[in-house]
Amino acid sequence: MKKRILAAVVALMGLGNLVIAQDAPVDDSSKWQFRLRGIVVTPDESADIEAIGGDVDISTTVVPEFDISYFFDDNWSLELILATAKHDVEAIGTAAGDIDLGHVWLLPPTLTAQYHFTGGNLVPYLGAGPNLTLFYGVDEGPIADDVDYDTAVGFALQGGFDFMLNDKWFLNFDVKKLFLNTTATVNATTALGATVEADVDINPWIFGVGVGIKL
């Protein structure tokens, strides 16, 4: 009799352990996410140009973008956005007419905190965070002797969605608004006999479409 009771206890304990193992939550969430997008960078530009007045025109450009996200849980993540873009720049409507200021490359690493609305294959998200923009590879154009752009600290707002194709792969659509300002110093001593400063708002819209993977 004692042997039967002991066998029954052992069996119940084994069944209990099996139930606990089956009911225990399994953390199979992906912490890292990577996207590759094609983006259209469309400046919403304006400028206050000293002495000669006028405004600024900055070209739209299409470039690739790579981003890395880390998920703290199913909803909250941090995303680091990496891209670089070349823009043609022109001062327009100045007292000296339209002035070709060549081109400049922008490197604007941006870190956004995101909230993801989970619940299906379509995962919308909103984000916001700081931006640091470096200007390099400046070509001053045919008139200016030199053009210098101050490094800028800005702010980004973001919205978009991921469409899950399976557990790992997904498609992405993303829109960002960058609030970005710089001071441009144009040395035009040879052509205009002066050095001119301009307070330039670049404030681009950035539209992206791409593919991503969760790891």
Side-chain angles (χ1 to χ4, degrees):
M1 184 69 178
K2 290 182 179 179
K3 290 182 179 180
R4 291 180 180 177
I5 294 174
L6 181 60
V9 170
V10 171
L12 288 173
M13 289 178 63
L15 180 61
N17 289 334
L18 179 60
V19 170
I20 291 172
Q22 289 177 340
D23 290 343
V26 178
D27 184 12
D28 61 352
S29 59
S30 301
K31 297 296 185 183
W32 293 97
Q33 181 172 285
F34 302 89
R35 295 189 190 95
L36 181 63
R37 300 186 185 107
I39 60 172
V40 180
V41 184
T42 304
D44 185 15
E45 70 273 44
S46 64
D48 181 10
I49 305 174
E50 68 175 20
I52 60 174
D55 208 339
V56 67
D57 181 71
I58 304 174
S59 67
T60 294
T61 190
V62 179
V63 296
E65 178 203 76
F66 179 70
D67 70 70
I68 305 169
S69 295
Y70 179 80
F71 281 75
F72 299 97
D73 55 32
D74 288 341
N75 300 108
W76 290 100
S77 70
L78 282 178
E79 179 185 77
L80 178 63
I81 301 158
L82 302 169
T84 187
K86 180 179 125 177
H87 296 272
D88 297 325
V89 184
E90 185 178 16
I92 58 175
T94 76
D98 295 345
I99 302 173
D100 182 358
L101 297 177
H103 65 252
V104 61
W105 285 85
L106 277 65
L107 179 64
T110 304
L111 183 67
T112 59
Q114 296 177 336
Y115 184 83
H116 300 256
F117 301 86
T118 57
N121 289 339
L122 186 65
V123 184
Y125 59 84
L126 296 173
N131 158 265
L132 175 69
T133 297
L134 307 173
F135 299 85
Y136 71 99
V138 178
D139 178 346
E140 66 276 356
I143 294 178
D145 300 311
D146 183 59
V147 181
D148 180 70
Y149 299 88
D150 288 351
T151 297
V153 176
F155 188 76
L157 295 177
Q158 179 184 34
F161 63 84
D162 295 322
F163 182 77
M164 303 305 301
L165 300 175
N166 52 44
D167 289 342
K168 286 192 173 184
W169 291 95
F170 59 91
L171 302 177
N172 173 258
F173 176 77
D174 184 86
V175 179
K176 288 184 286 292
K177 176 65 173 179
L178 223 60
F179 298 92
L180 176 61
N181 173 274
T182 186
T183 297
T185 303
V186 181
N187 181 352
T189 304
T190 302
L192 304 177
T195 295
V196 177
E197 285 195 353
D199 183 33
V200 182
D201 291 323
I202 303 175
N203 297 342
W205 287 95
I206 303 172
F207 303 94
V209 177
V211 63
I213 185 172
K214 291 177 176 287
L215 297 177

mmCIF file of all heavy atoms in Angstrom, residues 76-79 81 110-115 125-131 154-159 175-177 179:
data_model
loop_
_atom_site.group_PDB
_atom_site.id
_atom_site.type_symbol
_atom_site.label_atom_id
_atom_site.label_comp_id
_atom_site.label_asym_id
_atom_site.label_seq_id
_atom_site.Cartn_x
_atom_site.Cartn_y
_atom_site.Cartn_z
ATOM 1 N N TRP A 76 8.578 49.307 -26.223
ATOM 2 C CA TRP A 76 9.553 50.399 -26.188
ATOM 3 C C TRP A 76 10.889 49.989 -26.802
ATOM 4 O O TRP A 76 11.395 48.900 -26.548
ATOM 5 C CB TRP A 76 9.778 50.874 -24.758
ATOM 6 C CG TRP A 76 8.599 51.602 -24.195
ATOM 7 C CD1 TRP A 76 7.648 51.097 -23.359
ATOM 8 C CD2 TRP A 76 8.233 52.962 -24.442
ATOM 9 N NE1 TRP A 76 6.709 52.059 -23.059
ATOM 10 C CE2 TRP A 76 7.044 53.220 -23.703
ATOM 11 C CE3 TRP A 76 8.793 53.996 -25.190
ATOM 12 C CZ2 TRP A 76 6.410 54.464 -23.726
ATOM 13 C CZ3 TRP A 76 8.164 55.231 -25.207
ATOM 14 C CH2 TRP A 76 6.995 55.455 -24.483
ATOM 15 N N SER A 77 11.438 50.903 -27.610
ATOM 16 C CA SER A 77 12.739 50.638 -28.230
ATOM 17 C C SER A 77 13.493 51.943 -28.445
ATOM 18 O O SER A 77 12.925 53.035 -28.385
ATOM 19 C CB SER A 77 12.560 49.929 -29.581
ATOM 20 O OG SER A 77 12.008 50.825 -30.536
ATOM 21 N N LEU A 78 14.787 51.802 -28.694
ATOM 22 C CA LEU A 78 15.631 52.905 -29.148
ATOM 23 C C LEU A 78 16.112 52.581 -30.557
ATOM 24 O O LEU A 78 16.504 51.446 -30.841
ATOM 25 C CB LEU A 78 16.844 53.091 -28.236
ATOM 26 C CG LEU A 78 16.632 53.809 -26.907
ATOM 27 C CD1 LEU A 78 17.948 53.853 -26.139
ATOM 28 C CD2 LEU A 78 16.098 55.235 -27.123
ATOM 29 N N GLU A 79 16.081 53.587 -31.440
ATOM 30 C CA GLU A 79 16.521 53.381 -32.819
ATOM 31 C C GLU A 79 17.605 54.392 -33.171
ATOM 32 O O GLU A 79 17.439 55.591 -32.975
ATOM 33 C CB GLU A 79 15.341 53.542 -33.781
ATOM 34 C CG GLU A 79 15.739 53.354 -35.244
ATOM 35 C CD GLU A 79 14.585 53.638 -36.190
ATOM 36 O OE1 GLU A 79 14.283 54.830 -36.408
ATOM 37 O OE2 GLU A 79 13.998 52.676 -36.702
ATOM 38 N N ILE A 81 19.610 55.928 -36.277
ATOM 39 C CA ILE A 81 19.406 56.085 -37.720
ATOM 40 C C ILE A 81 20.687 56.621 -38.340
ATOM 41 O O ILE A 81 21.211 57.646 -37.908
ATOM 42 C CB ILE A 81 18.237 57.045 -37.991
ATOM 43 C CG1 ILE A 81 16.966 56.506 -37.334
ATOM 44 C CG2 ILE A 81 18.026 57.244 -39.489
ATOM 45 C CD1 ILE A 81 15.924 57.572 -37.087
ATOM 46 N N THR A 110 20.816 60.136 -35.806
ATOM 47 C CA THR A 110 19.621 60.483 -35.036
ATOM 48 C C THR A 110 19.231 59.306 -34.154
ATOM 49 O O THR A 110 19.187 58.168 -34.619
ATOM 50 C CB THR A 110 18.460 60.839 -35.986
ATOM 51 O OG1 THR A 110 18.874 61.901 -36.863
ATOM 52 C CG2 THR A 110 17.234 61.277 -35.212
ATOM 53 N N LEU A 111 18.949 59.586 -32.881
ATOM 54 C CA LEU A 111 18.544 58.553 -31.932
ATOM 55 C C LEU A 111 17.119 58.850 -31.477
ATOM 56 O O LEU A 111 16.866 59.903 -30.892
ATOM 57 C CB LEU A 111 19.487 58.537 -30.729
ATOM 58 C CG LEU A 111 19.231 57.457 -29.672
ATOM 59 C CD1 LEU A 111 19.515 56.070 -30.252
ATOM 60 C CD2 LEU A 111 20.082 57.710 -28.433
ATOM 61 N N THR A 112 16.200 57.920 -31.749
ATOM 62 C CA THR A 112 14.803 58.132 -31.361
ATOM 63 C C THR A 112 14.337 57.052 -30.392
ATOM 64 O O THR A 112 14.694 55.883 -30.523
ATOM 65 C CB THR A 112 13.862 58.139 -32.590
ATOM 66 O OG1 THR A 112 13.964 56.891 -33.291
ATOM 67 C CG2 THR A 112 14.215 59.273 -33.533
ATOM 68 N N ALA A 113 13.557 57.481 -29.411
ATOM 69 C CA ALA A 113 12.839 56.550 -28.545
ATOM 70 C C ALA A 113 11.488 56.282 -29.187
ATOM 71 O O ALA A 113 10.775 57.227 -29.554
ATOM 72 C CB ALA A 113 12.670 57.141 -27.151
ATOM 73 N N GLN A 114 11.117 55.010 -29.330
ATOM 74 C CA GLN A 114 9.909 54.636 -30.060
ATOM 75 C C GLN A 114 8.943 53.860 -29.181
ATOM 76 O O GLN A 114 9.360 53.070 -28.334
ATOM 77 C CB GLN A 114 10.257 53.775 -31.274
ATOM 78 C CG GLN A 114 11.093 54.471 -32.328
ATOM 79 C CD GLN A 114 11.449 53.536 -33.463
ATOM 80 O OE1 GLN A 114 11.479 52.317 -33.313
ATOM 81 N NE2 GLN A 114 11.723 54.101 -34.624
ATOM 82 N N TYR A 115 7.650 54.075 -29.446
ATOM 83 C CA TYR A 115 6.599 53.242 -28.856
ATOM 84 C C TYR A 115 5.900 52.497 -29.979
ATOM 85 O O TYR A 115 5.413 53.108 -30.942
ATOM 86 C CB TYR A 115 5.585 54.073 -28.070
ATOM 87 C CG TYR A 115 4.556 53.207 -27.376
ATOM 88 C CD1 TYR A 115 4.832 52.624 -26.143
ATOM 89 C CD2 TYR A 115 3.325 52.937 -27.977
ATOM 90 C CE1 TYR A 115 3.903 51.801 -25.516
ATOM 91 C CE2 TYR A 115 2.389 52.115 -27.359
ATOM 92 C CZ TYR A 115 2.687 51.550 -26.127
ATOM 93 O OH TYR A 115 1.779 50.734 -25.513
ATOM 94 N N TYR A 125 4.181 52.682 -35.102
ATOM 95 C CA TYR A 125 5.028 53.213 -34.038
ATOM 96 C C TYR A 125 5.161 54.731 -34.164
ATOM 97 O O TYR A 125 4.971 55.312 -35.246
ATOM 98 C CB TYR A 125 6.415 52.564 -34.054
ATOM 99 C CG TYR A 125 7.188 52.749 -35.341
ATOM 100 C CD1 TYR A 125 7.947 53.897 -35.578
ATOM 101 C CD2 TYR A 125 7.146 51.779 -36.342
ATOM 102 C CE1 TYR A 125 8.647 54.061 -36.767
ATOM 103 C CE2 TYR A 125 7.832 51.934 -37.524
ATOM 104 C CZ TYR A 125 8.595 53.081 -37.731
ATOM 105 O OH TYR A 125 9.275 53.241 -38.912
ATOM 106 N N LEU A 126 5.477 55.365 -33.037
ATOM 107 C CA LEU A 126 5.790 56.791 -32.970
ATOM 108 C C LEU A 126 7.128 56.944 -32.272
ATOM 109 O O LEU A 126 7.469 56.161 -31.375
ATOM 110 C CB LEU A 126 4.710 57.565 -32.207
ATOM 111 C CG LEU A 126 3.308 57.588 -32.816
ATOM 112 C CD1 LEU A 126 2.328 58.256 -31.853
ATOM 113 C CD2 LEU A 126 3.314 58.332 -34.153
ATOM 114 N N GLY A 127 7.895 57.973 -32.661
ATOM 115 C CA GLY A 127 9.200 58.166 -32.058
ATOM 116 C C GLY A 127 9.602 59.618 -31.999
ATOM 117 O O GLY A 127 9.058 60.467 -32.718
ATOM 118 N N ALA A 128 10.570 59.914 -31.149
ATOM 119 C CA ALA A 128 11.114 61.264 -31.027
ATOM 120 C C ALA A 128 12.490 61.171 -30.399
ATOM 121 O O ALA A 128 12.766 60.264 -29.596
ATOM 122 C CB ALA A 128 10.203 62.148 -30.177
ATOM 123 N N GLY A 129 13.368 62.114 -30.753
ATOM 124 C CA GLY A 129 14.697 62.096 -30.155
ATOM 125 C C GLY A 129 15.637 63.117 -30.754
ATOM 126 O O GLY A 129 15.283 63.846 -31.686
ATOM 127 N N PRO A 130 16.873 63.171 -30.242
ATOM 128 C CA PRO A 130 17.847 64.183 -30.672
ATOM 129 C C PRO A 130 18.558 63.812 -31.960
ATOM 130 O O PRO A 130 18.636 62.638 -32.343
ATOM 131 C CB PRO A 130 18.832 64.222 -29.494
ATOM 132 C CG PRO A 130 18.778 62.826 -28.941
ATOM 133 C CD PRO A 130 17.364 62.370 -29.117
ATOM 134 N N ASN A 131 19.104 64.837 -32.583
ATOM 135 C CA ASN A 131 19.845 64.685 -33.830
ATOM 136 C C ASN A 131 21.115 65.538 -33.768
ATOM 137 O O ASN A 131 21.096 66.645 -33.231
ATOM 138 C CB ASN A 131 18.976 65.110 -35.016
ATOM 139 C CG ASN A 131 19.809 65.492 -36.235
ATOM 140 O OD1 ASN A 131 20.097 66.664 -36.441
ATOM 141 N ND2 ASN A 131 20.198 64.517 -37.014
ATOM 142 N N GLY A 154 19.797 69.116 -33.431
ATOM 143 C CA GLY A 154 18.376 69.280 -33.739
ATOM 144 C C GLY A 154 17.521 68.266 -33.009
ATOM 145 O O GLY A 154 17.958 67.600 -32.068
ATOM 146 N N PHE A 155 16.289 68.128 -33.498
ATOM 147 C CA PHE A 155 15.304 67.238 -32.879
ATOM 148 C C PHE A 155 14.490 66.581 -33.979
ATOM 149 O O PHE A 155 14.213 67.197 -35.017
ATOM 150 C CB PHE A 155 14.394 68.029 -31.941
ATOM 151 C CG PHE A 155 13.479 67.179 -31.120
ATOM 152 C CD1 PHE A 155 13.948 66.473 -30.029
ATOM 153 C CD2 PHE A 155 12.133 67.064 -31.447
ATOM 154 C CE1 PHE A 155 13.106 65.679 -29.255
ATOM 155 C CE2 PHE A 155 11.277 66.271 -30.692
ATOM 156 C CZ PHE A 155 11.773 65.585 -29.594
ATOM 157 N N ALA A 156 14.116 65.321 -33.759
ATOM 158 C CA ALA A 156 13.369 64.572 -34.765
ATOM 159 C C ALA A 156 12.067 64.031 -34.198
ATOM 160 O O ALA A 156 12.010 63.586 -33.050
ATOM 161 C CB ALA A 156 14.214 63.410 -35.287
ATOM 162 N N LEU A 157 11.012 64.093 -35.018
ATOM 163 C CA LEU A 157 9.751 63.399 -34.756
ATOM 164 C C LEU A 157 9.586 62.327 -35.826
ATOM 165 O O LEU A 157 9.979 62.526 -36.981
ATOM 166 C CB LEU A 157 8.574 64.376 -34.790
ATOM 167 C CG LEU A 157 8.539 65.452 -33.710
ATOM 168 C CD1 LEU A 157 7.352 66.383 -33.940
ATOM 169 C CD2 LEU A 157 8.478 64.833 -32.319
ATOM 170 N N GLN A 158 8.967 61.211 -35.460
ATOM 171 C CA GLN A 158 8.938 60.053 -36.348
ATOM 172 C C GLN A 158 7.629 59.294 -36.213
ATOM 173 O O GLN A 158 7.043 59.213 -35.130
ATOM 174 C CB GLN A 158 10.109 59.137 -35.976
ATOM 175 C CG GLN A 158 10.246 57.868 -36.778
ATOM 176 C CD GLN A 158 11.369 57.002 -36.244
ATOM 177 O OE1 GLN A 158 11.623 56.960 -35.043
ATOM 178 N NE2 GLN A 158 12.064 56.312 -37.133
ATOM 179 N N GLY A 159 7.165 58.749 -37.323
ATOM 180 C CA GLY A 159 6.015 57.864 -37.315
ATOM 181 C C GLY A 159 6.135 56.873 -38.460
ATOM 182 O O GLY A 159 6.760 57.165 -39.482
ATOM 183 N N VAL A 175 8.228 57.949 -41.745
ATOM 184 C CA VAL A 175 8.271 59.392 -42.018
ATOM 185 C C VAL A 175 8.912 60.087 -40.823
ATOM 186 O O VAL A 175 8.541 59.830 -39.679
ATOM 187 C CB VAL A 175 6.865 59.983 -42.247
ATOM 188 C CG1 VAL A 175 6.957 61.484 -42.493
ATOM 189 C CG2 VAL A 175 6.176 59.300 -43.412
ATOM 190 N N LYS A 176 9.868 60.949 -41.102
ATOM 191 C CA LYS A 176 10.502 61.740 -40.052
ATOM 192 C C LYS A 176 10.474 63.218 -40.421
ATOM 193 O O LYS A 176 10.576 63.573 -41.597
ATOM 194 C CB LYS A 176 11.954 61.301 -39.836
ATOM 195 C CG LYS A 176 12.110 59.967 -39.154
ATOM 196 C CD LYS A 176 13.543 59.624 -38.890
ATOM 197 C CE LYS A 176 14.290 59.219 -40.128
ATOM 198 N NZ LYS A 176 13.848 57.935 -40.683
ATOM 199 N N LYS A 177 10.356 64.052 -39.400
ATOM 200 C CA LYS A 177 10.509 65.497 -39.544
ATOM 201 C C LYS A 177 11.679 65.912 -38.671
ATOM 202 O O LYS A 177 11.668 65.692 -37.462
ATOM 203 C CB LYS A 177 9.235 66.221 -39.117
ATOM 204 C CG LYS A 177 9.348 67.753 -39.146
ATOM 205 C CD LYS A 177 9.546 68.288 -40.544
ATOM 206 C CE LYS A 177 9.475 69.821 -40.554
ATOM 207 N NZ LYS A 177 9.695 70.378 -41.908
ATOM 208 N N PHE A 179 13.997 68.904 -37.208
ATOM 209 C CA PHE A 179 14.064 70.343 -36.946
ATOM 210 C C PHE A 179 15.543 70.700 -36.809
ATOM 211 O O PHE A 179 16.179 70.410 -35.794
ATOM 212 C CB PHE A 179 13.268 70.697 -35.692
ATOM 213 C CG PHE A 179 11.811 70.389 -35.824
ATOM 214 C CD1 PHE A 179 11.296 69.170 -35.411
ATOM 215 C CD2 PHE A 179 10.944 71.303 -36.412
ATOM 216 C CE1 PHE A 179 9.950 68.879 -35.547
ATOM 217 C CE2 PHE A 179 9.591 71.012 -36.562
ATOM 218 C CZ PHE A 179 9.094 69.798 -36.129
#
